[in-house]
Amino acid sequence: MADRERDYCLFMDGSRHNRNAGCRAHDNAYGIYGGGTERDRRAADLALFRHMRANRDPLAFVVLYFTTVYGWFFFNYHGRPWRGQLVRKLFRRY
């Protein structure tokens, strides 16, 4: 059986509008490689937004809102109230 590419988009279909590539770049920019400051997270969120707009994705503004407001819940590298990727603790298969 051939290996599938990992779906980096949580809560949406990554196969549409080239979303998976944008979500992967977003995760690599901030989440997977250690996080950074709030400014770094905002830059990663805006890069994802620009990628989605360039691909004419109708969910671009919705995703920008949710990554900006709730992104800390999934990728928190500040140590309070946890450190790391909480999403992997809650959703083991992600």
Side-chain angles (χ1 to χ4, degrees):
M1 180 168 71
D3 291 334
R4 277 183 42 211
E5 182 179 359
R6 178 176 167 203
D7 185 9
Y8 288 85
C9 298
L10 192 61
F11 304 123
M12 65 181 171
D13 182 4
S15 65
R16 301 184 71 200
H17 300 283
N18 197 24
R19 287 179 188 151
N20 201 46
C23 292
R24 181 179 55 238
H26 179 261
D27 285 2
N28 290 342
Y30 182 77
I32 291 173
Y33 293 123
T37 65
E38 291 300 315
R39 175 181 272 171
D40 296 332
R41 185 168 71 94
R42 183 71 174 154
D45 293 348
L46 288 172
L48 175 60
F49 172 73
R50 286 190 296 274
H51 171 83
M52 293 180 79
R53 292 284 292 173
N55 285 280
R56 299 175 186 237
D57 195 327
L59 293 180
F61 285 105
V62 174
V63 169
L64 177 63
Y65 172 78
F66 278 98
T67 56
T68 301
V69 175
Y70 299 107
W72 65 270
F73 180 79
F74 295 101
F75 300 103
N76 185 2
Y77 290 96
H78 300 290
R80 280 179 257 130
W82 70 89
R83 183 169 180 79
Q85 294 180 340
L86 181 64
V87 69
R88 287 193 177 238
K89 295 175 185 174
L90 296 176
F91 304 102
R92 297 279 181 201
R93 298 180 73 201
Y94 176 70

